[in-house]
Amino acid sequence: MFLALTVRAATLGDAIGFGLCCGLVAWGAWSIGIQARIVVGEDRIVVVDWFFRHEIPYGAVESVDRTGGGVCLVLRTGRKVTPVVSGSSAVSALMGDLLQNRILAAVQAAMAAQTAGPAEPKRSFQPHLLALLLFVGSLVALAAARYLLPR
């Protein structure tokens, strides 16, 4: 934002737009890259993806597999949960899928140590990315209105 304010041709609207775009990039990076995770706990696996948070007790997991380059948790209900962070890429494949293998090994080791019976998994909606999408949509609508409406 300060860069836009120092340019002589920049207006206050340009500076605000630049600041909003920088905020949008930071928010998107947090939502998609940093916030998504998988946590292997003592009694459950917590998978936080872009839109949902899954709390899965080990008793609810039927199997854990590698499918499509990523890790897939198959639940006793038949539902499949594939954590976003376990996805594979070309770079990951060239390195031998180290992250995917570590996730798979950690989940399998934690499941082997558990003796608890089945329990119900919980799934909750995470609204932060929806807010990001609404924010992007409003920026696009404002930009379109600026150029489409008569002055």
Side-chain angles (χ1 to χ4, degrees):
M1 182 167 158
F2 297 110
L3 177 65
L5 289 175
T6 59
V7 177
R8 290 179 188 230
T11 63
L12 181 60
D14 293 335
I16 291 171
F18 181 74
L20 286 175
C21 288
C22 288
L24 176 67
V25 169
W27 190 5
W30 177 80
S31 295
I32 294 171
I34 298 171
Q35 190 265 341
R37 64 189 175 278
I38 181 169
V39 178
V40 179
E42 291 183 16
D43 61 340
R44 69 186 64 233
I45 303 166
V46 178
V47 176
V48 180
D49 286 335
W50 299 338
F51 290 107
F52 294 99
R53 173 188 173 97
H54 304 270
E55 292 186 27
I56 307 167
Y58 292 115
V61 179
E62 184 166 322
S63 66
V64 57
D65 303 317
R66 291 280 310 271
T67 57
V71 176
C72 180
L73 302 168
V74 181
L75 305 183
R76 295 193 189 284
T77 61
R79 191 172 57 151
K80 295 180 181 180
V81 177
T82 305
V84 171
V85 295
S86 73
S88 185
S89 66
V91 173
S92 174
L94 286 173
M95 295 176 59
D97 287 330
L98 297 175
L99 175 65
Q100 291 77 11
N101 292 332
R102 281 190 9 227
I103 292 172
L104 185 65
V107 171
Q108 287 175 338
M111 285 177 57
Q114 289 298 312
T115 58
E120 289 297 318
K122 296 177 186 174
R123 181 174 132 172
S124 59
F125 181 69
Q126 301 293 310
H128 64 276
L129 192 59
L130 183 61
L132 173 66
L133 294 175
L134 290 173
F135 181 71
V136 170
S138 65
L139 284 180
V140 170
L142 286 173
R146 179 179 178 193
Y147 290 105
L148 295 178
L149 295 177
R151 294 180 186 194

